[in-house]
Amino acid sequence: MNTPSPSPGIRGANPADGPAIAGLLAALGYPGTAGHVATSIDRLLAHPDAGLLVAEEQGAVIGFVSLHFIPQIAMEGDFCRISYFCVAEAARGRGIGAKLEEAVVALASGRGCDRIELHSHARREQAHRFYARQGYEESPKYLMKRLQPAP
């Protein structure tokens, strides 16, 4: 989903953003993504139920958010899931994350979503405070089952 820029400084990502996104992923604790992040970006951009936005300042990517729209069977509309969200440490506290989140809200609202969900590890306390300021509330219990990657 290659979307028009919903806000100044926020735009749809493109494959050339791969190195910057890999650097931000490393800052989140996901090192070693440089070898496959370009392929992942291509897959996200080609998927009709996915989105990838970046925050840009003076030509440099300083933040990104990836999201997915998931159809619901019990309710009308979709819900939006933020899968990764990062703002460069040097750019934090300047409203960049809030602008990215605002763009996600606009996209989700445009799709008729009734909520936005995300998972944020317990150790990411600063992120939890950010999400609380944006109006997110804690939903107890997140369960996961790890699968072996396909060969």
Side-chain angles (χ1 to χ4, degrees), residues 23-30 64 84-87 92 123-124:
L24 290 164
L25 284 167
L28 275 179
Y30 300 99
F64 82 98
Y84 296 92
F85 191 152
C86 185
V87 173
R92 292 179 189 161
R123 73 177 178 272
R124 299 190 192 280

Side-chain angles (χ1 to χ4, degrees), residues 25-47:
L25 284 167
L28 275 179
Y30 300 99
T33 62
H36 67 81
V37 77
T39 302
S40 296
I41 289 171
D42 287 340
R43 285 188 8 242
L44 281 170
L45 295 179
H47 198 292

Side-chain angles (χ1 to χ4, degrees), residues 18-108:
I21 291 172
L24 290 164
L25 284 167
L28 275 179
Y30 300 99
T33 62
H36 67 81
V37 77
T39 302
S40 296
I41 289 171
D42 287 340
R43 285 188 8 242
L44 281 170
L45 295 179
H47 198 292
D49 291 326
L52 183 60
L53 301 174
V54 295
E56 189 175 48
E57 189 172 75
Q58 298 177 346
V61 171
I62 57 171
F64 82 98
V65 61
S66 65
L67 51 127
H68 304 273
F69 299 102
I70 302 167
Q72 301 181 82
I73 195 164
M75 299 178 177
E76 291 185 42
D78 299 341
F79 73 88
C80 178
R81 163 111 5 136
I82 293 174
S83 52
Y84 296 92
F85 191 152
C86 185
V87 173
E89 192 162 345
R92 292 179 189 161
R94 299 192 343 235
I96 306 297
K99 286 176 89 173
L100 276 166
E101 195 274 340
E102 182 180 294
V104 171
V105 168
L107 291 173

Side-chain angles (χ1 to χ4, degrees), residues 119 141-147:
H119 168 71
K141 206 79 109 140
Y142 175 83
L143 305 172
M144 163 179 86
K145 179 179 182 177
R146 292 194 186 272
L147 303 175

Side-chain angles (χ1 to χ4, degrees), residues 98-123:
K99 286 176 89 173
L100 276 166
E101 195 274 340
E102 182 180 294
V104 171
V105 168
L107 291 173
S109 294
R111 292 268 307 227
C113 293
D114 65 359
R115 70 185 177 281
I116 300 171
E117 295 182 350
L118 59 96
H119 168 71
S120 182
H121 196 280
R123 73 177 178 272

